[in-house]
Amino acid sequence: MRVGTRPRLRVLASVILIAGVNAAAAAPAPLPIAERFAEVNGVRLHYLVAGKGAPILLLHGYAQTSHMWRPLIRELAKTHTVVAPDLRGFGLSSKPAAGYDKKTMAQDVHALAAALGFQRVQVVGHDIGLMVAYAYAAQYPTEVERVVLMDAFLPGVGDWESVWLLRDLWHFHFYGEVPLKLVAGRERIYFEHFWNDFAADARHSVSEPDRRFYAAAYARPGGMRAGFDVFRVFPQDAKDFAQFAQTRLTMPMLVLSGEKASGEFLIQQGRLVAENVEGVIVKGSGHWLMDEAPDQVIPKLVSFLTQ
């Protein structure tokens, strides 16, 4: 897509309320979240949007979709415009055959931001989403005010192959015809490994309703293949990120890392690629920060992003 073009947007009329309200209560009505679609960078992206004000982009990770951000959207939308897309290949977004390197996925999100008229944004990413968030900030540094990386790792930066999340290396090589046949109709079984084993306590990880939601989302045609492809291209991501890291980011960066997951590793990586880094260990949490420790994570994100 050429710089300066404004991709065509298609908007769904549906609006979803993100919280129930007792009619008799005096509390203000919950903020609505709109669901929309945009045709950008050769893909059709589904996204959630709410609020008014300066824009914040929220980028989900693997085994989840934009749905993971709803509790945070409710808070940030009080003061900001919040946009949470389903990344290329995930949720209700299109699932092309290629383009799952994080550099390209960041270009998708940038094209969406441009289509929405955003000139400067704050970007938050969890898991695969943090890789996309970093690639966004590295490619468009003058357009990013703040960036948040949440529990995973940056391929190609430092001693990245020794990170905790790579202890189960098999799933980063689990793609192709046979793996797809093995998980067809068994998506929930496959994802239980991530939701349970990457949590500090499987009983306090991703909720049962959300597990059903995500399993159904990935069971859509092409969903598992696209998900596998975000891992397949890690070697290319490592090359791209090693190149990006040669120019350190200067905007404020917040790194949130689970005590029982990435720990200090992601914070150390953040300091290799950026000059102004605040690192926070989320006590008692594993990888699923928004699900395991919302009382710690949401206030910290709101504080950092609303300064």
Side-chain angles (χ1 to χ4, degrees), residues 216-252:
Y218 281 80
R220 291 188 176 96
M224 294 304 295
R225 185 263 309 156
F228 290 165
D229 279 351
V230 300
F231 300 134
R232 187 200 296 260
V233 297
F234 273 178
Q236 181 60 50
D237 294 330
K239 294 178 183 178
D240 291 337
F241 284 19
Q243 181 67 35
F244 290 154
Q246 293 182 23
T247 303
R248 287 161 63 85
L249 301 178
T250 59
M251 75 287 290

Side-chain angles (χ1 to χ4, degrees), residues 266-286:
L266 181 61
I267 296 172
Q268 293 168 2
Q269 283 193 310
R271 290 175 175 149
L272 290 174
V273 301
E275 297 179 357
N276 184 3
V277 178
E278 178 186 0
V280 176
I281 298 293
V282 181
K283 299 298 183 182
S285 182

